[in-house]
Amino acid sequence: MGQVIEINQKRFFTLDDAKVLLPIVRRITQVCYQEVKQVSTQISYTKDKEVRAELEKKVQAVFQRWNQKLGRLGVEAKGMWLVDFDTGEGYYCWHYPEPSIQHFHGYFEGFRGRVRIQ
């Protein structure tokens, strides 16, 4: 039987917990990434300012939806396709399309300060 995932809860993750949740996070991220990619292509081909503004709003809506879905899982969307799993001491850090969770960083180091864990 599958694992129950509580939604909208502050969570702390072990590496194993994060690895179990990653396929769901990856699927959500991949869907949103593809949507943004399609809309971004449309933006690059339009010169109409109104159409461009509407398309940019659509991109923002996708990012907001992505952020909300991840938040319900207890993980944090930190930037463009960047996801952090809070450990209580820092974050396991995953960036789409990385194949697995391979990095950790403290609360104050951020993405640039991440170190390889595997």
Side-chain angles (χ1 to χ4, degrees), residues 33 41 64 74 81 86 93 95 98 101 115:
Y33 173 84
T41 299
Q64 185 175 19
W81 317 122
D86 194 340
C93 180
H95 189 250
E98 292 173 343
I101 298 170
V115 295

Side-chain angles (χ1 to χ4, degrees), residues 14-33:
T14 65
L15 184 55
D16 287 339
D17 292 338
K19 286 179 178 181
V20 166
L21 193 57
L22 184 61
I24 297 167
V25 170
R26 175 185 286 284
R27 195 167 34 250
I28 292 167
T29 302
Q30 187 170 23
V31 167
C32 291
Y33 173 84

Side-chain angles (χ1 to χ4, degrees), residues 1-87:
M1 189 162 282
Q3 179 181 9
V4 175
I5 298 172
E6 293 185 37
I7 61 171
N8 296 322
Q9 300 292 316
K10 175 69 176 165
R11 292 181 65 184
F12 293 108
F13 294 86
T14 65
L15 184 55
D16 287 339
D17 292 338
K19 286 179 178 181
V20 166
L21 193 57
L22 184 61
I24 297 167
V25 170
R26 175 185 286 284
R27 195 167 34 250
I28 292 167
T29 302
Q30 187 170 23
V31 167
C32 291
Y33 173 84
Q34 292 300 328
E35 284 184 55
V36 168
K37 186 176 176 183
Q38 288 176 345
V39 175
S40 294
T41 299
Q42 293 173 343
I43 289 171
S44 70
Y45 286 108
T46 189
K47 295 187 190 275
D48 184 305
K49 289 182 181 180
E50 289 180 25
V51 171
R52 183 183 215 75
E54 286 302 312
L55 291 170
E56 288 170 353
K57 284 182 188 175
K58 196 171 184 178
V59 167
Q60 290 174 347
V62 172
F63 275 119
Q64 185 175 19
R65 188 176 73 236
W66 175 67
N67 193 357
Q68 289 171 342
K69 285 183 176 187
L70 294 181
R72 286 187 204 118
L73 296 174
V75 299
E76 300 176 32
K78 292 290 182 106
M80 291 284 285
W81 317 122
L82 178 62
V83 179
D84 280 350
F85 298 79
D86 194 340
T87 69

